[in-house]
Amino acid sequence: MPRWKALPEELDPQIGEFTGQLRRLVDRNGLSVAAVADRTGYSKTSWERYLNGRLLPPLRAVVALAEVTGAQPAHLTTLWELAERAWSRAEMRQDVTMEAISVAQARAALGEFDTEPAQAAPTTKSAKAAKAAKAAKAAKGAEAKAANAKGAKSPQAAGPLTEPLTVQWPQQPRLDLPSSADFPAEPMAAAPAPGHSPAPAAPPAAPANQRARRGRTAVFAAGAVGALLLAGAAVLLLKPAAEPVTKPAAAPAAAPSAKPDLPAGVHCTGEGCVGKDPEKMGCGGTHAVTPSRGLAGRSVIEVRYSAVCHTAWARISRAAQGDQATISAGGHSATAQAERGGDAYTPMVAVSGDPAKVAACQTTMAGAKNCARPVRATPAGSATEAPSR
C-alpha cells in the first residue's frame, strides 16, 4: 500500500511539484509525519494537509523542514514562491466563479418578481371595461323608457287637455347628504338687532376669599426666606476658623537597588550593554537564543537575544561582502557590515519586552532588504544554528 495519497487532479502543476519535493525529503530521511511535526513545531494535522496538497505550508514551516532534513533552504524557498503564486491565482479564479454564481442567482430571483405585476394588469383592465359597458347599457335603457313615456302622453295623440300635464319622477334618497339627525339640537341664541353690535362679555370677578388667600401665601413665603437668611448668618458667625490642613510627609526615596548578581563572565546588563560587543561582555554563547530569523537566497539574518543581559543584536551569515545588518529596539539601533568572510554581528541594544518583536533587517549592496521573522526560540549551540556570537 503506498504511503502517500494521490494528489488532487485539479492541483496546479507547480504546487504538485513543490508538494512532491516535500514528500521526497521526508521519505529520504525516514521520517514519519508525527516526527516531522515534533521537530518543526507544527502540528501533525497541518503537515498531513501540507503533504497531501490540501494546504500550502508557510515559509517558516518549509525552512524548519529544510533544517531538519539537511536540505538547502534557498532551493525550497524558490519552489515555495512559485507554488505560492499558483495558489493565489487558483483562489482568485474561485472567487470570480462564486461571484458569477451569486449574480446569476440574484438576477433569476428578480426576474420571478417582475412577472407577477405583468400577469395582474390584464385582469384589472378587463374589470374596468366590464363596469364601463354595464353603465352605458343602463343609460341607454333609461333613455328608451323616457322616450316611450313622452310618446304616450303627447297632446296630439290624446286630444286637448283641460289641465296641464305634470310628470312626477320617483325621488331616490340621497345617501351622501347629511340629515338633521346627524347634528345635535342646540339652543339658538337671539339674533342681535340690526345696526347694533353685541357688547363684549365682562370677565367674571375673582372671589374675595381667593384674593385674601393669595395675600397670605405671599406674606408666608417672605417670612420663610427671611428666617433662612438669619440662620445662615448665624452659622457663619459662630463657625470657628478652619484648621490648616497638614500634608503627610513625603516618603523617603527608595534606596537604589544593588547591582544584580551576574553569572561568571558576564560584565553588563540592560542599558549598561548598549553599544557594546556581545562576545566581549559575555552575553553570547550559551546565554543567547535565536527568537527570529530571515532568509535571502543563501544568506541568513538572525536576531540573537540574551535573557541574562536583557539585550539583543543582529547577526548575518553567508552574506556578500558589503551587506549590512541593522537592529533596532527600545529607541536604540546598531549596524554592522559583512566582511570578506560574509559573517558579521552588530553591537547590542537593550530589550525590555518580547524579543520576538525586535526588528532586524539585512540590506544587500544592490539595495534589496530582508527582515527576520519570529521562529521557535532554540538554545545556542544546537545543531540547526551557525556558530554563536
Side-chain angles (χ1 to χ4, degrees):
M1 181 177 180
R3 180 182 181 184
W4 305 108
K5 296 180 181 179
L7 295 176
E9 296 180 358
E10 66 274 9
L11 197 64
D12 190 274
Q14 292 180 342
I15 303 176
E17 179 185 359
F18 174 69
T19 306
Q21 184 65 29
L22 296 182
R23 289 180 174 184
R24 284 190 289 273
L25 287 176
V26 174
D27 291 338
R28 189 182 305 164
N29 290 268
L31 300 173
S32 64
V33 178
V36 173
D38 182 62
R39 298 187 184 184
T40 58
Y42 290 82
S43 66
K44 179 182 177 182
T45 304
S46 298
W47 274 113
E48 289 177 349
R49 295 178 180 176
Y50 301 158
L51 296 173
N52 287 317
R54 290 181 292 170
L55 187 64
L56 186 68
L59 180 58
R60 284 181 288 176
V62 175
V63 174
L65 180 63
E67 293 178 352
V68 170
T69 58
Q72 287 290 339
H75 298 164
L76 280 181
T77 301
T78 302
L79 293 178
W80 178 86
E81 291 176 352
L82 297 176
E84 196 274 336
R85 296 193 188 100
W87 194 280
S88 299
R89 290 194 299 269
E91 289 181 348
M92 186 178 300
R93 288 194 297 269
Q94 183 179 3
D95 292 342
V96 172
T97 303
M98 295 303 296
E99 183 178 358
I101 293 174
S102 301
V103 172
Q105 292 176 350
R107 289 176 177 173
L110 292 176
E112 293 177 0
F113 290 113
D114 291 342
T115 57
E116 295 179 0
Q119 296 175 358
T123 305
T124 305
K125 291 182 179 179
S126 60
K128 291 183 178 179
K131 290 182 179 180
K134 187 175 181 180
K137 187 176 180 181
K140 288 182 180 180
E143 292 178 358
K145 290 180 180 180
N148 293 336
K150 185 176 181 181
K153 300 296 180 176
S154 176
Q156 288 80 1
L161 298 177
T162 58
E163 295 182 358
L165 180 64
T166 59
V167 179
Q168 296 182 354
W169 297 94
Q171 298 292 329
Q172 297 293 335
R174 293 285 300 275
L175 301 179
D176 56 342
L177 296 179
S179 63
S180 59
D182 295 335
F183 302 96
E186 295 181 359
M188 298 181 61
H196 295 279
S197 59
N209 57 352
Q210 186 176 2
R211 290 196 299 270
R213 191 182 301 113
R214 290 179 181 176
R216 288 195 297 269
T217 303
V219 172
F220 177 76
V225 171
L228 290 176
L229 293 176
L230 291 176
V235 170
L236 293 176
L237 291 175
L238 299 176
K239 184 178 180 181
E243 298 180 357
V245 179
T246 58
K247 295 183 179 179
S257 59
K259 185 177 181 180
D261 294 334
L262 299 177
V266 179
H267 305 295
C268 67
T269 180
E271 296 291 338
C273 296
V274 175
K276 296 181 181 180
D277 190 309
E279 284 297 308
K280 294 181 180 179
M281 295 293 105
C283 297
T286 58
H287 300 304
V289 295
T290 302
S292 57
R293 179 188 296 114
L295 299 175
R298 61 183 299 272
S299 61
V300 181
I301 175 72
E302 298 174 293
V303 173
R304 300 288 291 163
Y305 171 70
S306 173
V308 175
C309 299
H310 299 287
T311 57
W313 59 95
R315 181 178 70 182
I316 54 175
S317 56
R318 299 198 300 268
Q321 183 178 1
D323 290 357
Q324 289 187 350
T326 304
I327 188 170
S328 59
H332 300 284
S333 61
T335 305
Q337 190 171 11
E339 301 297 337
R340 182 175 298 178
D343 297 341
Y345 60 93
T346 66
M348 293 184 288
V349 295
V351 177
S352 59
D354 186 3
K357 297 182 180 180
V358 176
C361 298
Q362 173 189 356
T363 305
T364 63
M365 293 294 294
K369 191 174 183 180
N370 178 49
C371 298
R373 296 181 180 178
V375 296
R376 285 192 314 151
T378 57
S382 63
T384 60
E385 295 188 351
S388 61
R389 284 193 177 93

